[in-house]
Amino acid sequence: MSFDRRIKIAPSILSADFADFGRECRAIEDQGCDWVHVDVMDGHFVPNLTFGPAMCKAIRPHVRTVMDVHLMIAPVDPYIEAFADAGADILTAHVEAGPHIHRTLQAIRAAGVRPGIALNPGTPAEALRPVLDMVDLVCVMTVNPGFGGQKFIASQIEKVREIRAMIGDRPIHIEIDGGVTPETAPLVAAAGADVLVAGSAVFKGGSVADPAPYGANIAAIRKAAEAAA
């Protein structure tokens, strides 16, 4: 994975057909997505249950791009090895998920995976500063994590600007997760984000049997973001 700041669209398979993940992953890639975003939730750190390492391992052969695994779980450390073995390219842990985020990021890197760090809407950008040189990606939550389809929290745009200034010329992606649409994508792209996670905004109107709407939705988000970036 070479680094660049071009806009990347990372559909969240939380909005895909759960009975057909393999073909859904291939469909969104064929329709032009850049990464595949996997939302892992434990029913403890966030109020929902989704996937574990076994599901990640099952879809890995179907993902040709980047498998971007977002761990909304606590604790994180006992599961790093399993998700690394499942083929994650990026593992993102929440700064709020435990008292030892430095150690967690060390462990992710040691497992041969690129570390990301996520911040909930109530967590300030300053929380990143002590570990910024340890990460390849910063994920700014623009909804409270746990469910898809939520409304974008506009107050996070200023946080994205702060983080972009903090990063400077470091090769670190800024990812936005939550409420991304063609209307909100330009706001975060202008603030400095380059990876846009979108669930319902990508998958709406399409299916494995009729994937063209996925492509149209991806293209609309990308075009809106690129015009503002």
Side-chain angles (χ1 to χ4, degrees):
M1 285 170 60
S2 58
F3 181 84
D4 67 71
R5 293 203 184 281
R6 286 177 295 183
I7 295 295
K8 285 163 280 295
I9 310 299
S12 166
I13 61 168
L14 194 61
S15 295
D17 178 356
F18 277 34
D20 210 354
F21 274 140
R23 290 203 302 161
E24 288 277 46
C25 289
R26 293 198 300 275
I28 54 175
E29 289 187 335
D30 289 345
Q31 291 296 323
C33 82
D34 302 282
W35 296 4
V36 174
H37 188 83
V38 184
D39 286 306
V40 176
M41 305 182 191
D42 65 357
H44 165 70
F45 180 67
V46 293
N48 196 6
L49 271 171
T50 58
F51 326 117
M55 202 285 292
C56 290
K57 190 169 189 174
I59 67 166
R60 179 71 258 194
H62 304 277
V63 176
R64 299 183 300 265
T65 58
V66 172
M67 192 158 84
D68 173 32
V69 179
H70 179 188
L71 299 178
M72 288 171 270
I73 67 175
V76 175
D77 294 14
Y79 302 99
I80 290 169
E81 195 171 326
F83 281 104
D85 289 346
D89 294 300
I90 301 169
L91 269 183
T92 298
H94 273 256
V95 70
E96 308 89 358
H100 305 297
I101 188 64
H102 187 285
R103 183 168 66 196
T104 297
L105 295 170
Q106 277 184 319
I108 292 170
R109 181 83 69 190
V113 183
R114 297 177 66 172
I117 189 168
L119 286 84
N120 284 335
T123 301
E126 196 59 33
L128 290 173
R129 198 175 292 279
V131 294
L132 195 57
D133 287 315
M134 301 179 71
V135 302
D136 291 335
L137 176 142
V138 175
C139 175
V140 178
M141 295 301 301
T142 43
V143 298
N144 282 293
F147 294 94
Q150 296 185 70
K151 191 171 184 296
F152 179 84
I153 301 173
S155 62
Q156 300 308 295
I157 296 168
E158 183 54 39
K159 186 192 290 184
V160 176
R161 283 196 198 95
E162 287 179 56
I163 292 168
R164 184 67 193 89
M166 204 185 290
I167 285 172
D169 60 2
R170 294 175 178 91
I172 299 172
H173 296 291
I174 299 178
E175 179 175 78
I176 303 299
D177 190 351
V180 170
T181 65
E183 291 69 47
T184 58
L187 307 177
V188 291
D194 63 291
V195 183
L196 306 181
V197 175
S200 47
V202 165
F203 285 95
K204 69 179 182 185
S207 66
V208 163
D210 177 26
Y214 298 168
N217 296 335
I218 289 166
I221 296 168
R222 191 188 308 279
K223 182 179 178 184
E226 286 178 345

